[in-house]
Amino acid sequence: MKRISFKNLSPLFFLLFISSALFAQQKGKSLFNDGWSFHKGDSIVLDSPEWKNVDLPHDWSIQETFNSKWASGTGFLPGGIGWYKKEFDLENYNDSIQYAIYFDGVYKNSEVWINGHYLGKRPNGFIPFQYDLTPYLNAEENVILVKADHTDYADSRYYTGSGIYRNVYFLTQDPIHFAQWGVFFQTPKVNEELAQSIVSVEVKNKTSKKVKSTIEILLKNISGSVVAKEQRNLMLRPGKENYMEFDLEISNPELWSPNSPNLYDMEVRITKEGQLADYWKEKVGFRDFRFDADKGFFLNGENMLIKGVCIHHDAGALGAAVPKEVWRERLETLKELGANAIRMSHYPHQDYIYDLADEMGFLVQDEAFDEWEFGKNKWITGWNVGTPGNDGSHKEFSKWGVRDVQDMIRRNRNHASIIMWSIGNEIDYPNDPYSHPVLDEGRNPQIYGKGYQPDNPPVSHLGKLANELAMSAKVYDTTRPITAALAGVTMSNYTIYPEVLDIVGYNYQEFRYEEDHKAYPDRVIYGSENGDALEAWYAVTENDFISSQFLWTAFDFMGEAREWPNRSSGAGIIDLAGKPKPDFYFRKSLWSEDPMVYLGITDSQENVLRRRNIQESWTGSKGETKWITVYSNTEEVELFLNDTSLGKKRANYSNEDMISWEVPFEEGELKVVGFNNGTEVAQYSIETSGNASQLEITTSKESFSKKDEIIILDLLLVDKNANQVTDQDQVIEFEVEGPAKLLALESGDRDSHENLQANKRKTYKGKLRAYFQITKVSDEDLNISINTENLEKEEVRIKKK
């Protein structure tokens, strides 16, 4: 008999889901994701039957077959060349209207044609771009064609995906309209009593004459009341972008912070001759922040620690084409962790992730590049194994680098969550490719292999390039510091690279914190990428001048794999299916303020200290030695085996002693209880499981109401007493009846080569996740049949609202 439950989604969740549609709206801007066709191959025939129907976003690499002949760095999946085609008519076509198409990202080397006319190319696969369609459109029978060239499949150190893997938008505009990313909201003065803002506006006049217009700006609070307003009449010059600034201020503002992510609606309207020409509506926030070389980070006057995680843009079986609802659920898991910050490693991410960061309260480091003028090592046969390749984005850097970083900033600069712009990650990685004689001195404990390589590019190059990027970034935003994540600080200290940065990120360089703080007292140093070792966190808590840790990583991700058959990184504290691993709870005990306890089982004290091979099942032979480790943020913990106390311990960690008990195995229940001031405040238990006899099924929602909604099913093998069974994995098959399709199945197994889009997959440690997408609006319910090798058939019904 199955057990079905529905996740507790608070009213706040539904409020956020509804309000998310309000971000960065423009008049006449709509999603353009439906009704595309796709063909993979070097060449195409437009009327060939080989085209297959797809809806965007679409990542073709994730739908291919894993093979050891491809690259470990990108998950042993192929690249290639893909073509996209969309045929469409224009209702109410008007030759006085302006039309444009906006791509949030196409990987990579995208080229676009409309009705046979070439519009342009954008090499960078992570940067949005827009083309004017107006001169080439017809009222009927339009064809847009997009080519994505990912032939150099081993071009990255992590999985990128291939194709139009992000949203596409169609813009229908009056000749008088906002320029692309043409509204900029700044907050030069913010405190609890008063908030001042400057709103700069760029307006295009595509007519041949001056046009008298009125521009009105409104700020509304969460209840919809107007709290600030300004209006100005302007004469717009023809054929140009017209620029103007408006000053607004409000009293007693509701400030934005991770704990209280208060947002306002900013509405900007352009009218001409009494008619609305264009409008812009976006969520904005008021916050004041600064970095101090001695005291770290301050937000709204409060000194606080940045508890950050690094993320990549993929989500296991979904590849790079990840629906917004899936990322919302992932970020909710990070909130449970106690994280308050995200590093967008190592490229600009999907547009909606920044919206979610604003809504849900995450500080953001936005990052532009993983390499500049030279390519890094791209591992083919396994991480740090064999001979690497050297393909990558560096090939286009000299031509596109400045524009790419500027477009990243213009696109994202209204997000309250973003507190820094990073111009690069580990560009100074020693001997990959830059080098310096200091590498012969043996003062750099990272695994860099060889010492100084005189034939490699000198690290002095980096200062000039960093200065160029930093200055170009500040053309479009001076309200946030420019940073970079440095891996070879030992080398970079011999250059001006750190000096041209406003704040300097150190990757895995905790050993340099104290020494460099003394040597460079005006330098703001923060942890930009860090391992999960306890001492790495103590380097933050024990040094007032260090404000942050950005843990590598939040989630397991595709690529950066070891040798075949491994095809994904296991660096995450959350698995490919979005489920916490044991180390998640260790980090939660350090970061979360809510009382918690957790226990795991391993086979040696060394594993306890290293936090390795921690299991979540209580199984074994009677009398077999087991080590129980406990993670908790309470004052004391007490361990029980079958209601017999095995003793209390102080809940303290050190490098030499974690919280643990050596226990002879005995079937039954292990339970740990946490105490504050002698009062029980948290508990956690595991019970010995029997044979798998049923599925526990959890669904993300009880009903659906619109196209493209996502339904997530989490399946767990359990015994007759509902205990999780981790050692009897079974193949589960799904049948869908109703207005939905199965997007993918994810078990979290990083060595699995199963077809990720097939309707069946084997569980991993008793777990499996299924993603479904609503395909149409109808009166039908969604019925999902679930067949398991040795268990009864199960049925799940999700109702149409």
Side-chain angles (χ1 to χ4, degrees):
M1 180 179 179
K2 68 174 179 292
R3 305 186 343 150
I4 299 179
S5 62
F6 295 91
K7 293 181 180 177
N8 268 332
L9 300 180
S10 67
L12 176 61
F13 175 91
F14 291 104
L15 174 63
L16 295 180
F17 181 79
I18 294 169
S19 68
S20 66
L22 300 178
F23 278 73
Q25 281 189 341
Q26 286 176 258
K27 181 173 181 272
K29 181 179 180 181
S30 58
L31 281 173
F32 203 53
N33 288 342
D34 296 344
W36 290 77
S37 302
F38 172 72
H39 173 73
K40 188 179 178 187
D42 294 352
S43 60
I44 56 167
V45 177
L46 285 179
D47 58 356
S48 168
E50 294 181 355
W51 292 87
K52 67 176 184 179
N53 296 329
V54 297
D55 289 335
L56 306 181
H58 176 255
D59 172 8
W60 84 65
S61 287
I62 200 66
Q63 299 176 5
E64 299 284 340
T65 302
F66 294 102
N67 194 303
S68 60
K69 70 180 180 180
W70 307 119
S72 62
T74 47
F76 290 112
L77 286 170
I81 294 176
W83 299 82
Y84 294 84
K85 177 182 67 171
K86 178 162 181 168
E87 301 174 359
F88 62 99
D89 297 337
L90 282 176
E91 295 182 8
N92 303 316
Y93 173 75
N94 186 331
D95 59 10
S96 67
I97 295 296
Q98 301 289 306
Y99 300 92
I101 189 167
Y102 178 101
F103 295 87
D104 192 46
V106 179
Y107 203 88
K108 67 176 186 176
N109 293 316
S110 65
E111 297 180 87
V112 183
W113 294 259
I114 180 69
N115 295 330
H117 297 275
Y118 185 69
L119 297 177
K121 180 177 182 178
R122 194 61 183 257
N124 192 313
F126 304 115
I127 296 290
F129 55 93
Q130 179 175 312
Y131 294 119
D132 181 14
L133 304 178
T134 309
Y136 314 114
L137 285 179
N138 308 309
E140 300 177 350
E141 298 183 358
N142 296 284
V143 180
I144 191 162
L145 190 66
V146 180
K147 176 184 179 183
D149 186 347
H150 191 191
T151 306
D152 51 351
Y153 58 89
D155 63 337
S156 173
R157 302 191 300 146
Y158 38 80
Y159 181 79
T160 62
S162 299
I164 310 179
Y165 68 102
R166 295 184 183 175
N167 286 328
V168 179
Y169 301 88
F170 193 80
L171 283 74
T172 303
Q173 298 173 313
D174 189 274
I176 305 298
H177 60 266
F178 295 106
Q180 183 182 1
W181 306 313
V183 176
F184 182 23
F185 178 83
Q186 304 173 66
T187 55
K189 180 180 180 180
V190 175
N191 56 49
E192 293 182 353
E193 291 77 33
L194 181 71
Q196 296 177 343
S197 64
I198 299 173
V199 182
S200 58
V201 179
E202 299 171 55
V203 179
K204 286 190 173 183
N205 178 0
K206 301 287 283 188
T207 72
S208 59
K209 60 182 180 180
K210 291 183 179 180
V211 175
K212 184 178 181 181
S213 68
T214 300
I215 298 183
E216 181 182 44
I217 299 180
L218 303 174
L219 278 180
K220 296 180 179 179
N221 61 19
I222 192 170
S223 65
S225 300
V226 176
V227 295
K229 178 179 178 180
E230 186 173 353
Q231 180 176 303
R232 191 181 303 170
N233 296 323
L234 294 165
M235 190 65 70
L236 301 176
R237 298 171 297 163
K240 296 182 180 294
E241 288 187 5
N242 296 264
Y243 178 86
M244 60 225 71
E245 289 186 352
F246 298 82
D247 297 314
L248 299 171
E249 68 176 42
I250 62 174
S251 300
N252 304 313
E254 297 180 85
L255 302 184
W256 184 95
S257 71
N259 290 331
S260 300
N262 299 306
L263 295 169
Y264 290 77
D265 282 320
M266 174 181 65
E267 298 180 12
V268 189
R269 302 169 183 169
I270 308 172
T271 57
K272 63 174 186 178
E273 299 175 353
Q275 299 295 315
L276 180 66
D278 202 359
Y279 76 79
W280 183 294
K281 187 174 183 179
E282 189 166 10
K283 296 284 188 183
V284 295
F286 291 97
R287 76 284 184 272
D288 174 75
F289 70 89
R290 62 185 174 90
F291 288 87
D292 184 273
D294 293 317
K295 294 297 182 182
F297 178 71
F298 291 79
L299 180 67
N300 301 326
E302 178 186 351
N303 187 222
M304 65 179 292
L305 293 180
I306 298 173
K307 303 171 184 177
V309 292
C310 302
I311 64 171
H312 278 302
H313 68 177
D314 67 285
L318 294 169
V322 186
K324 182 175 182 178
E325 287 179 78
V326 174
W327 263 112
R328 182 188 298 279
E329 195 253 7
R330 289 182 142 220
L331 296 186
E332 287 173 340
T333 304
L334 295 183
K335 276 291 181 180
E336 177 191 345
L337 175 70
N340 61 16
I342 301 168
R343 178 185 178 211
M344 303 294 190
S345 47
H346 303 294
Y347 41 80
H349 284 223
Q350 296 96 322
D351 53 6
Y352 57 76
I353 296 186
Y354 301 91
D355 296 343
L356 291 171
D358 289 345
E359 293 177 51
M360 301 175 72
F362 287 97
L363 302 163
V364 170
Q365 184 231 62
D366 207 11
E367 193 156 68
F369 307 112
D370 193 42
E371 59 187 26
W372 292 348
E373 61 177 341
F374 296 111
K376 292 180 178 177
N377 290 332
K378 314 299 190 313
W379 297 105
I380 310 298
T381 58
W383 187 70
N384 282 345
V385 175
T387 303
N390 198 240
D391 286 333
S393 60
H394 64 280
K395 296 178 180 179
E396 302 287 348
F397 177 79
S398 62
K399 180 179 179 180
W400 288 95
V402 167
R403 182 172 176 185
D404 285 345
V405 76
Q406 289 182 333
D407 283 357
M408 174 188 80
I409 290 172
R410 281 172 59 82
R411 172 232 204 178
N412 288 337
R413 59 189 175 175
N414 289 338
H415 288 285
S417 55
I418 296 178
I419 58 169
M420 61 181 104
W421 305 114
S422 171
I423 57 175
N425 169 65
E426 297 188 346
I427 309 299
D428 62 342
Y429 202 102
N431 292 326
D432 192 11
Y434 298 96
S435 197
H436 187 276
V438 72
L439 296 180
D440 283 335
E441 296 181 12
R443 298 185 64 250
N444 208 331
Q446 285 186 272
I447 305 173
Y448 295 140
K450 302 175 183 178
Y452 175 50
Q453 300 294 296
D455 293 334
N456 283 26
V459 74
S460 57
H461 279 197
L462 296 180
K464 176 181 179 297
L465 293 173
N467 188 58
E468 180 182 1
L469 290 173
M471 295 303 292
S472 65
K474 291 182 179 182
V475 169
Y476 290 107
D477 185 18
T478 59
T479 69
R480 298 172 177 90
I482 305 300
T483 188
L486 276 57
V489 182
T490 301
M491 294 194 311
S492 291
N493 280 343
Y494 286 86
T495 76
I496 65 167
Y497 185 13
E499 295 176 23
V500 303
L501 303 173
D502 299 312
I503 59 177
V504 185
Y506 280 40
N507 282 16
Y508 308 102
Q509 305 275 289
E510 294 89 355
F511 71 98
R512 294 204 63 90
Y513 286 170
E514 186 174 355
E515 178 182 343
D516 278 19
H517 180 58
K518 291 177 180 178
Y520 310 99
D522 295 329
R523 178 184 296 180
V524 174
I525 301 170
Y526 72 97
S528 46
E529 184 173 315
N530 308 88
D532 63 357
L534 184 61
E535 57 264 31
W537 178 239
Y538 287 163
V540 179
T541 60
E542 295 176 2
N543 291 295
D544 289 343
F545 60 92
I546 298 296
S547 62
S548 70
Q549 180 179 72
F550 282 91
L551 192 68
W552 188 262
T553 59
F555 302 94
D556 286 351
F557 57 91
M558 298 284 292
E560 202 168 49
R562 308 291 173 171
E563 293 181 87
W564 181 268
N566 182 247
R567 43 83 176 176
S568 299
S569 169
I573 58 174
I574 303 168
D575 70 17
L576 291 167
K579 296 300 180 184
K581 300 181 188 179
D583 217 37
F584 173 95
Y585 298 99
F586 172 71
R587 185 61 42 176
K588 184 176 180 179
S589 73
L590 298 175
W591 284 2
S592 178
E593 297 179 0
D594 298 327
M596 57 80 61
V597 288
Y598 170 88
L599 65 83
I601 298 96
T602 188
D603 55 8
S604 71
Q605 189 175 28
E606 181 182 0
N607 282 342
V608 169
L609 293 174
R610 289 167 50 85
R611 306 195 321 279
R612 298 293 183 263
N613 195 31
I614 306 299
Q615 305 299 316
E616 299 181 278
S617 60
W618 180 236
T619 57
S621 304
K622 185 173 178 61
E624 180 184 357
T625 298
K626 298 286 185 178
W627 283 86
I628 314 303
T629 187
V630 169
Y631 305 142
S632 179
N633 59 6
T634 63
E635 294 173 355
E636 287 184 308
V637 292
E638 186 172 8
L639 184 68
F640 295 85
L641 176 57
N642 294 327
D643 294 326
T644 299
S645 175
L646 303 183
K648 277 187 176 182
K649 296 193 176 188
R650 298 293 296 176
N652 298 326
Y653 304 143
S654 74
N655 292 326
E656 294 77 32
D657 186 22
M658 297 292 287
I659 310 167
S660 64
W661 285 260
E662 186 178 11
V663 180
F665 177 77
E666 177 184 321
E667 283 192 5
E669 182 190 48
L670 271 179
K671 181 174 69 174
V672 62
V673 178
F675 298 89
N676 283 338
N677 296 319
T679 300
E680 178 181 331
V681 291
Q683 67 170 261
Y684 185 92
S685 63
I686 297 176
E687 190 168 338
T688 306
S689 62
N691 292 325
S693 62
Q694 56 186 334
L695 285 174
E696 181 176 295
I697 305 171
T698 303
T699 72
S700 60
K701 56 184 69 173
E702 300 180 48
S703 60
F704 63 92
S705 61
K706 62 182 182 179
K707 184 178 180 297
D708 294 330
E709 273 192 75
I710 301 298
I711 311 292
I712 301 175
L713 262 61
D714 284 312
L715 284 69
L716 190 66
L717 291 174
V718 297
D719 66 11
K720 63 181 181 180
N721 296 318
N723 297 310
Q724 179 182 348
V725 179
T726 62
D727 58 354
Q728 299 174 28
D729 287 311
Q730 301 189 32
V731 174
I732 299 180
E733 186 172 356
F734 297 82
E735 296 177 11
V736 180
E737 182 179 333
K741 64 181 178 181
L742 174 64
L743 285 181
L745 299 174
E746 181 54 75
S747 69
D749 184 356
R750 304 193 313 275
D751 293 338
S752 167
H753 302 138
E754 297 162 281
N755 183 334
L756 304 180
Q757 288 74 42
N759 69 334
K760 62 181 179 180
R761 190 167 179 185
K762 193 174 185 179
T763 61
Y764 180 62
K765 296 183 178 180
K767 298 178 183 179
L768 186 66
R769 167 167 283 199
Y771 298 100
F772 300 87
Q773 185 175 47
I774 302 301
T775 56
K776 62 181 179 180
V777 176
S778 71
D779 293 329
E780 295 179 87
D781 292 340
L782 169 60
N783 296 291
I784 303 169
S785 299
I786 304 172
N787 296 285
T788 310
E789 290 173 309
N790 303 311
L791 305 181
E792 291 184 7
K793 182 178 181 179
E794 309 286 6
E795 301 281 346
V796 174
R797 172 172 289 187
I798 309 296
K799 295 182 179 180
K800 167 68 171 65
K801 282 185 182 178

